[in-house]
Amino acid sequence: MPAGRPLILVSNRGPVTFADDGSFQRGTGGLVTALTGLAEHRELLWVASTMTGGDAQRAREAGGPFEVKTPGGSRYQVRLVESDEDAYSRFYNVFANPMLWFIQHYLWDLSNAPDIRQNEVDAFELGYQVVNRDLADAVLEEMDGREDPVVMIHDYHLYTLPRMIRDARPDAFLHHFIHIPWTQPDAWRVLPSEIRERLFDGILANDIVGFHTRSYRWNFLQCCQDLMGLDVDRERGVVHYDGREVWVRAYPLPIDSGGIARVAAKPGVAEAERELLARRREFLLLRVDRADLSKNVLRGFTAFDLFLEQHPEFRERITFVAQLMPSRTDVPEYLEYLERIEALVAVVNHRHGTPDWMPIQLKLKDDVEEAMAAYKHYDVLLVNAMFDGMNLVAKEGPMVNERAGVSILSENTGAHEELGEAALTVNPFDIRELAETIHTALTMPSGEREQRLAALRTAITARTPGDWLDDQLADIREKAAG
Ligand code: F6P
């Protein structure tokens, strides 16, 4: 980045979440994991929404940016922005989730939903737009008096914010990274055309738009052509809009393998390992996910049910540990999903379990130490998402595993572009294939398991989060210079 250009990062979820007593912990999810690394390397200001009462209290006390220390010991500035409660709920619980999230993971069951009624239109006008405006105003305030600022915008919560900033500060460089898939044009047609156009107009106010994979980049270019009638250069990844060039790029997100190893070495993990090992059977099948519909949790259990039916020799010898973190529980679809998960686990456990063997152990919680302990000892890691922007579990597990564990990976995850050859690929909808692949993984000769794990690690460590960032900053420099 040109020396001296101030860097402002803006996302919905911030790097820290405050409890009512003022204590804080790191924000959850892949976005925070990725960007905390950025904060360790550069001087920056991170603008984000308040998401808890504790956040709002901290924001009011600070009245502006305040300092946060990263686990690595460096410091950066955070500004938390509080929006009207009703507006925020419309933004987060109706428009961003489920509306955009479902469009971008092909989750709508179109013969039933979504219905676009006044409620959905209001969620855009009186929710999404309000929160985007609140965050844009905070960014503009922080940019005041600073020349040629660079703003890095993150994810699907903030598609209309770039336009708000561009109109007020044409000199700003706007870079937007989208952490979830970009779907094909028809998936977007459920939105009223006027809303759709405002979303695209917002995104195209950026200088660069980034995705995890070439396929999402391709879909975005196709959408610009088909839905917006724009002139698109596919080879160069350029959209011509409003007399400007918008670059569309793929930057696959790597993990910080050193950081993961440090977490895995914590005493709390050793404690969790002792508990796990005391209970473990001969084989451990593991999944770790947010309890999100896109993760395809139900088909995973159904396939396990089928596997136990077809391979009774594995009964009482295997446990399927499913660590699922409840997520977005104010959205009815998510709450209902949790209920369906619990009901299906009860059915499978009832069907196959014995007085001292529970085939599926369901842990509905976010516990990094338990997840790390399970990463170390799985024989098979299951990542069968229907669609997933990247999926960092697919990268973290193999870095920590100590049993030459095999990865089963959905072909529809972003991680599959990098890890597909070393993992066992599955079509996430094919339950029959998944049941068979669980068996293949469990009976794989140890030489092949070791080879595959080594190949996974080579692919995972080929690039670091620093490279990810440098690639983006190099493009910012190049475009800003041109
Ligand atoms: O990966 C997409 C994403 O929305 C990230 O922005 C976030 O880290 C994660 O999913 C969790 O979602 P939420 O912020 O709604 O809990």
Side-chain angles (χ1 to χ4, degrees), residues 345-356:
V345 168
V347 168
V348 177
N349 280 342
H350 185 255
R351 184 173 298 150
H352 301 281
T354 63
D356 61 359

Side-chain angles (χ1 to χ4, degrees), residues 184-331:
Q184 291 161 0
D186 284 348
W188 292 87
R189 292 187 195 276
V190 299
L191 288 174
S193 57
E194 200 246 344
I195 293 184
R196 206 168 61 208
E197 278 158 24
R198 280 158 74 192
L199 294 176
F200 277 88
D201 172 69
I203 301 166
L204 292 167
N206 287 293
D207 293 283
I208 300 180
V209 182
F211 296 98
H212 281 304
T213 71
R214 295 187 298 273
S215 123
Y216 309 153
R217 168 180 178 267
W218 189 260
N219 287 345
F220 181 76
L221 292 167
Q222 190 69 39
C223 282
C224 289
Q225 185 179 298
D226 291 4
L227 301 174
M228 296 290 284
L230 297 174
D231 176 20
V232 162
D233 181 337
R234 282 159 196 275
E235 291 318 309
R236 288 179 60 228
V238 168
V239 183
H240 297 276
Y241 186 64
D242 230 5
R244 299 167 31 251
E245 275 198 353
V246 182
W247 289 7
V248 185
R249 295 286 181 268
Y251 311 104
L253 176 65
I255 58 159
D256 170 12
S257 7
I260 295 284
R262 279 192 296 281
V263 178
K266 282 189 170 175
V269 175
E271 179 57 41
E273 278 182 81
R274 274 191 289 280
E275 264 176 50
L276 183 127
L277 292 176
R279 298 181 64 175
R280 79 162 285 149
R281 298 272 162 161
E282 193 179 340
F283 299 105
L284 173 62
L285 169 64
L286 175 71
R287 76 173 308 140
V288 177
D289 283 303
R290 268 186 319 106
D292 192 292
L293 290 84
S294 65
K295 305 290 182 182
N296 207 19
V297 176
L298 298 174
R299 285 196 189 83
F301 291 144
T302 306
F304 186 59
D305 181 29
L306 184 62
F307 159 78
L308 290 174
E309 208 174 292
Q310 291 176 335
H311 298 282
E313 70 278 14
F314 278 93
R315 288 193 184 160
E316 307 218 40
R317 292 169 62 203
I318 183 166
T319 307
F320 184 174
V321 172
Q323 186 168 324
L324 302 174
M325 172 185 148
S327 173
R328 306 176 186 164
T329 45
D330 288 334
V331 179

